[in-house]
Amino acid sequence: MGTSRFFFGSNKVMAKALGNTPEEELKDNLHKIAQALVGDVGLLFTNLSSEDVVREFEEFEASSYPRSGTRAEYRVAIAPGEVVRGFTKEPFPSNMEPALRKLGMPTLLKQGKIVLDNEYVICEENDTLTPDQAHLLKHFWEKMATFKIKLVAHWNKADGNFVSMNPTEDKEAESGSDSDME
């Protein structure tokens, strides 16, 4: 994907650039891409075939920090003693102690080191994470989420063909809904 370009920004601005209506669009059916710009989306411009793009994105995933509202994949507990983080077992700097305490950890500052008197459980497996738990997991370098990109639609410059990759939209179009059938 070395020659491809991603665009992320205001959906309204990107839609306006493509054309919101058939009268405003620069090429046939681009207004349908503009209508698909809803939520956290972006545009990918590429010379690759749609099959190659689909394959690339099906294979791509990256580990990420969980957000509040997601389920914990496993239990995370911090052992008593000096508070360290991640696989490196790096000690937290002492200036982080108030922030950790504000997030709910019962920490103490002893001789310039952040310590816990007892084990502290950030989350149990299958807990729905709160904002504070998600923030603590990030501080402790616990990546529990998987980042994947979901393809919404594609448009072909050569023939102006628009294809929705959302099965519910495809079923609505097949059943006679004329919302995108101009």
Side-chain angles (χ1 to χ4, degrees):
M1 292 244 223
T3 59
S4 303
R5 298 287 179 254
F6 279 103
F7 288 88
F8 297 98
S10 166
N11 289 346
K12 287 182 180 182
V13 171
M14 290 191 294
K16 187 68 175 169
L18 296 172
N20 288 313
T21 65
E23 296 78 31
E24 295 175 349
E25 67 189 8
L26 298 171
K27 300 277 187 176
D28 289 342
N29 292 324
L30 268 180
H31 75 281
K32 293 180 180 180
I33 292 290
Q35 291 170 352
L37 295 175
V38 178
D40 291 331
V41 296
L43 295 172
L44 169 67
F45 292 88
T46 184
N47 289 327
L48 296 174
S49 71
S50 59
E51 293 82 14
D52 288 341
V53 172
V54 168
R55 186 179 64 256
E56 288 284 334
F57 284 110
E58 283 176 349
E59 293 172 1
F60 175 80
E61 64 180 45
S63 59
S64 181
Y65 297 107
R67 296 181 181 199
S68 65
T70 59
R71 295 222 178 259
E73 290 184 6
Y74 50 86
R75 181 180 195 265
V76 177
I78 309 303
E82 185 175 6
V83 178
V84 295
R85 64 173 149 188
F87 52 90
T88 63
K89 302 297 183 198
E90 179 182 313
F92 273 89
S94 59
N95 64 349
M96 286 289 298
E97 195 270 337
L100 294 174
R101 197 170 349 105
K102 188 175 180 183
L103 292 170
M105 284 188 76
T107 57
L108 300 168
L109 198 55
K110 292 183 180 176
Q111 298 176 347
K113 296 179 181 182
I114 302 173
V115 296
L116 286 171
D117 283 339
N118 299 306
E119 178 182 71
Y120 179 75
V121 177
I122 295 177
C123 62
E124 296 285 351
E125 185 176 358
N126 293 321
D127 278 355
T128 299
L129 298 174
T130 66
D132 287 350
Q133 288 172 313
H135 203 157
L136 280 170
L137 290 170
K138 189 171 184 177
H139 280 307
F140 284 92
W141 303 338
E142 290 290 340
K143 293 183 176 184
M144 290 188 182
T146 302
F147 174 77
K148 286 192 69 75
I149 294 176
K150 176 184 165 198
L151 299 176
V152 177
H154 71 85
W155 177 82
N156 187 318
K157 181 180 178 181
D159 60 8
N161 186 31
F162 169 84
V163 177
S164 170
M165 300 179 96
N166 182 345
T168 57
E169 286 180 15
D170 293 341
K171 288 178 184 173
E172 288 171 6
E174 288 172 9
S175 67
S177 170
D178 60 355
S179 61
D180 282 342
M181 303 294 279
E182 291 187 29

